[in-house]
Amino acid sequence: MFDIFMAYISCDEGDKKRPILILEQKDKLVSAFCITTNDENESTQTGLYKITEWQQAGLDMQSYIDTANKISLPISSVGNPIGKLTNYETQKLIDFLEK
């Protein structure tokens, strides 16, 4: 839980490889939040959590977890792990989700 993987996500532009935060796995499906570097709407978008320890989490740049849109994916679309949220970051995210 709270591991970061690369996955193919279907969107308007077609399938796009992007990082996701795995929340749980059941059978052949995973529940996850998408991770984005797009902070254009960071101050106005509800549910966008800023990862402060993004380098320790295995990410290449400042990133945000889109907690407003939980997705479900087949495990076959999930690629290799790239990192994991730190204990500190995990607790901050849990606090954020409980608000």
Side-chain angles (χ1 to χ4, degrees), residues 35-87:
I35 297 175
T36 181
T37 57
N38 185 356
D39 65 347
E40 287 178 14
N41 299 320
E42 188 234 333
S43 61
T44 59
Q45 185 174 340
T46 306
L48 205 58
Y49 173 80
K50 183 177 182 179
I51 303 172
T52 56
E53 296 179 340
W54 54 270
Q55 291 167 315
Q56 296 92 319
L59 298 164
D60 294 333
M61 57 192 328
Q62 176 64 68
S63 299
Y64 304 83
I65 300 170
D66 182 1
T67 66
N69 299 304
K70 191 176 187 181
I71 60 172
S72 201
L73 299 168
I75 193 75
S76 60
S77 66
V78 177
N80 297 324
I82 60 170
K84 183 177 179 76
L85 292 184
T86 63
N87 291 337

Side-chain angles (χ1 to χ4, degrees), residues 10-53:
S10 294
C11 55
D12 293 339
E13 304 88 38
D15 289 347
K16 184 176 181 180
K17 192 174 182 181
R18 64 180 314 120
I20 60 170
L21 179 69
I22 301 285
L23 302 172
E24 66 179 340
Q25 179 182 345
K26 287 188 179 178
D27 299 319
K28 296 182 181 185
L29 291 176
V30 295
S31 295
F33 290 136
C34 288
I35 297 175
T36 181
T37 57
N38 185 356
D39 65 347
E40 287 178 14
N41 299 320
E42 188 234 333
S43 61
T44 59
Q45 185 174 340
T46 306
L48 205 58
Y49 173 80
K50 183 177 182 179
I51 303 172
T52 56
E53 296 179 340

